[in-house]
Amino acid sequence: MQKNLPTSPDQLLERLATLGISSHTVDHAPVFTVEESKELRGQLPGGHVKNLFLRNKKEEMWLVTVEESKRVDLKALGEKLTGATGGAAKLSFGSADRLMHYLGVIPGAVTPFAVINDKGKAVKMVLDQDLMRHDVLHAHPLVNFKATALAPKDLLRFLEAEGHPAQLIAVPVNAGQ
């Protein structure tokens, strides 16, 4: 059980309802990887996301949400996000401490919904444009033992309402995908 979170899953779902966003949440065993998630869920229709909490040497941070099967080219993504090459564009994964400090979640529970906890607007939200082709997207509601489904347009609306409008981009992939 994930305790002492700044926002509970119930509070998140209440926020969605307040915004008039329809969602459906199911409980499941805790998962920490995309592979575990695939095994557990069976055939839930729709898009399933994975999330990359990234930073660069200038302390800029991004939460990048893509389809779970996408193999992201971090070098190309860094150049795309920063408009630079070299050190400013070099992305690395944020630490568990940084993740909890800024987004209020643990590794394995990273989700676009976590921007609800980034009151200082330190993290930039990036969504892969391929996610918009799905009727429904599935993401963790701040914990890794639940999944919440909602329409992509509603996810965009939530992010906007939380002051984290998503940058929609074609996230670059590694060669061979």
Side-chain angles (χ1 to χ4, degrees), residues 6-82:
T7 305
S8 73
D10 288 341
Q11 289 169 317
L12 169 67
L13 298 176
E14 286 173 23
R15 175 70 172 137
L16 293 175
T18 299
L19 293 170
I21 293 174
S22 176
S23 66
H24 176 73
T25 301
V26 296
D27 294 339
H28 56 70
V31 294
F32 294 90
T33 66
V34 168
E35 289 72 28
E36 289 174 347
S37 179
K38 284 180 179 179
E39 286 178 25
L40 186 68
R41 74 161 175 262
Q43 297 299 317
L44 276 179
H48 298 269
V49 302
K50 74 177 173 184
N51 301 276
L52 310 174
F53 179 55
L54 304 169
R55 62 180 287 263
N56 68 5
K57 291 182 181 190
K58 294 171 93 177
E59 298 295 318
E60 297 171 305
M61 294 174 286
W62 294 266
L63 179 56
V64 180
T65 300
V66 300
E67 289 187 83
E68 68 181 1
S69 61
K70 197 163 256 198
R71 295 184 51 137
V72 177
D73 181 335
L74 288 181
K75 182 176 186 238
L77 178 61
E79 292 168 0
K80 195 169 202 170
L81 293 178
T82 63

Side-chain angles (χ1 to χ4, degrees), residues 5-6 13 17 39 43-44 47 58 61 67 78 83 85 100 102 107 121 125 128 130 136 147-148 150 156 172 177:
L5 297 176
L13 298 176
E39 286 178 25
Q43 297 299 317
L44 276 179
K58 294 171 93 177
M61 294 174 286
E67 289 187 83
T85 57
M100 180 55 77
Y102 288 98
K121 314 283 187 273
M125 187 68 220
D128 185 18
D130 288 345
V136 174
T148 296
L150 76 168
L156 289 173
Q177 185 179 18

Side-chain angles (χ1 to χ4, degrees), residues 124-141:
K124 297 175 192 99
M125 187 68 220
V126 177
L127 287 181
D128 185 18
Q129 66 188 24
D130 288 345
L131 292 172
M132 298 301 110
R133 68 182 169 84
H134 294 285
D135 292 332
V136 174
L137 294 175
H138 300 270
H140 292 306

